[in-house]
Amino acid sequence: MMSADPIIDDVTDLPAEFAAVEPDTEYIPPRARMTRGELDALPTRQNEMKGISALAGPANVIMQLAMPAVGYGVYESRVDSGNLFKHPIKRTRTTLAYLAVAVMGSPKDRRLYRKAVGQAHAKVRSTEDSPVKYNAFDPKLQLWVAACLYKGWEDMQHFYGDPADITEEAYQNGAVLGTTLQVPREMWPATRADFETYWNETVETFEIDPVIREHLMSIVRAEFMPRWFSLMVGWWFELLTIGFLPENFREKMGLEFKPWQRRVFNAHNKVAKAVSDRLPKVLREFPFNFLLWDVRWRIRTGRPLV
């Protein structure tokens, strides 16, 4: 579990380097034991990233945004280029590319991608009119997002992978999902058992208010996609999103997983896993391998990363 003496005590007490209009993306609190370079060079899981796991992306986004400070940070964000409803393809590419860089990338990839993300995060902070206080550079909020990403990886091992891969070593390597941003290594719960305690206690602390719930429901209904997509396959998108959501998040959202939906969901996963397992590695890892290649191409050619 996180230390009783946390590195960052409260979002309102962020160091000047985080609270500045243009925060220092290389900054790590002085009490952190690892340097920025050491954090970027942390080992990662060596298992392949299954591209099919991207199907659970919308459900994972809902888990992240269920925390009020994260939800309002995205809902009120003034960064239009990262708005899912205005640029759905670009936003999806940025999120999946972050996963590819954090898990499969080199220290250089992580450093440059963090700086690019930091330029956008610098503009995500609450105003006097915001219902909750937030700052995208708050390590505690970044820890929650990283925890959701790691939890999503564990869930995908049950759906499409091998639960035996959920080991203590894999959990420790999962810390890169946070340290690739501004989360000090010490903030990652010490053991997987501590992570479970952190996860359960954190989920119990928040409720989803009506404003954020409606925003999340628009994601469930795929309303960020072109109208023809929502009309044709929105029901399927909704079925998968509800299916991948953990039960306690369904309850917080007031969602019902109907018996017929559960049957279709289970049948889909059985077929999808069988197909994925028979694909060659390069296809099993798509789109993550392609997105990592795209990030490196953008670095070489001087194009924007996010």
Side-chain angles (χ1 to χ4, degrees):
M1 198 160 59
M2 285 188 296
S3 168
D5 186 20
I7 292 175
I8 301 294
D9 295 326
D10 189 83
V11 66
T12 58
D13 297 324
L14 291 177
E17 290 84 354
F18 285 157
V21 175
E22 296 183 1
D24 179 1
T25 62
E26 297 297 281
Y27 177 79
I28 287 293
R31 288 164 56 192
R33 293 192 295 272
M34 299 183 74
T35 67
R36 183 69 266 175
E38 290 172 329
L39 290 171
D40 287 338
L42 283 172
T44 63
R45 293 189 300 271
Q46 296 303 312
N47 294 339
E48 65 181 359
M49 293 186 69
K50 289 181 177 287
I52 195 173
S53 65
L55 290 174
N60 201 272
V61 169
I62 289 171
M63 290 161 60
Q64 296 170 33
L65 273 56
M67 175 175 280
V70 179
Y72 273 100
V74 171
Y75 180 72
E76 296 184 336
S77 175
R78 297 178 292 277
V79 184
D80 284 349
S81 62
N83 189 308
L84 178 65
F85 289 83
K86 295 181 180 179
H87 305 283
I89 295 177
K90 181 179 180 182
R91 176 62 187 181
T92 300
R93 173 180 65 81
T94 299
T95 302
L96 295 181
Y98 174 78
L99 280 169
V101 168
V103 177
M104 303 166 66
S106 68
K108 177 182 177 181
D109 297 330
R110 296 183 198 171
R111 176 173 58 83
L112 294 178
Y113 208 77
R114 177 180 59 260
K115 287 187 174 183
V117 171
Q119 292 176 359
H121 277 183
K123 303 173 186 177
V124 181
R125 56 186 65 210
S126 56
T127 66
E128 293 182 357
D129 297 327
S130 300
V132 296
K133 297 298 181 184
Y134 58 83
N135 183 317
F137 273 80
D138 180 1
K140 290 198 298 183
L141 300 185
Q142 292 184 353
L143 175 62
W144 169 249
V145 172
C148 289
L149 295 174
Y150 172 76
K151 186 71 170 178
W153 175 80
E154 280 199 353
D155 291 344
M156 289 305 99
Q157 297 314 301
H158 291 286
F159 285 119
Y160 301 133
D162 183 356
D165 287 338
I166 305 174
T167 63
E168 188 66 31
E169 180 183 7
Y171 166 72
Q172 295 298 336
N173 291 342
V176 298
L177 296 170
T179 60
T180 298
L181 292 177
Q182 280 78 35
V183 179
R185 181 65 178 81
E186 294 81 2
M187 287 188 74
W188 191 248
T191 67
R192 186 168 170 269
D194 291 328
F195 177 86
E196 285 296 316
T197 300
Y198 160 77
W199 179 266
N200 293 330
E201 291 181 349
T202 301
V203 173
E204 288 180 2
T205 64
F206 58 76
E207 297 295 333
I208 303 174
D209 75 15
V211 172
I212 297 302
R213 182 186 182 279
E214 185 54 35
H215 180 65
L216 298 183
M217 283 304 302
S218 63
I219 296 176
V220 172
R221 297 188 291 257
E223 293 177 358
F224 57 90
M225 296 296 287
R227 184 165 176 76
W228 65 263
F229 180 94
S230 298
L231 290 174
M232 291 181 63
V233 297
W235 69 273
W236 180 257
F237 190 96
E238 180 175 344
L239 182 151
L240 292 181
T241 302
I242 294 174
F244 284 123
L245 274 176
E247 182 62 34
N248 52 354
F249 281 87
R250 288 189 209 125
E251 292 176 358
K252 289 177 180 291
M253 288 285 291
L255 293 169
E256 179 186 0
F257 197 23
K258 299 179 177 65
W260 74 266
Q261 291 177 315
R262 192 180 298 273
R263 289 193 296 271
V264 173
F265 179 74
N266 291 338
H268 163 271
N269 287 335
K270 184 176 181 180
V271 173
K273 183 180 187 306
V275 172
S276 176
D277 287 347
R278 287 166 173 76
L279 292 175
K281 186 173 186 292
V282 66
L283 293 181
R284 283 199 308 271
E285 291 188 338
F286 182 86
F288 294 110
N289 50 5
F290 171 77
L291 289 169
L292 182 59
W293 173 87
D294 179 66
V295 166
R296 290 171 172 170
W297 173 75
R298 290 170 180 273
I299 291 173
R300 289 197 307 271
T301 58
R303 287 172 167 78
L305 299 187
V306 301

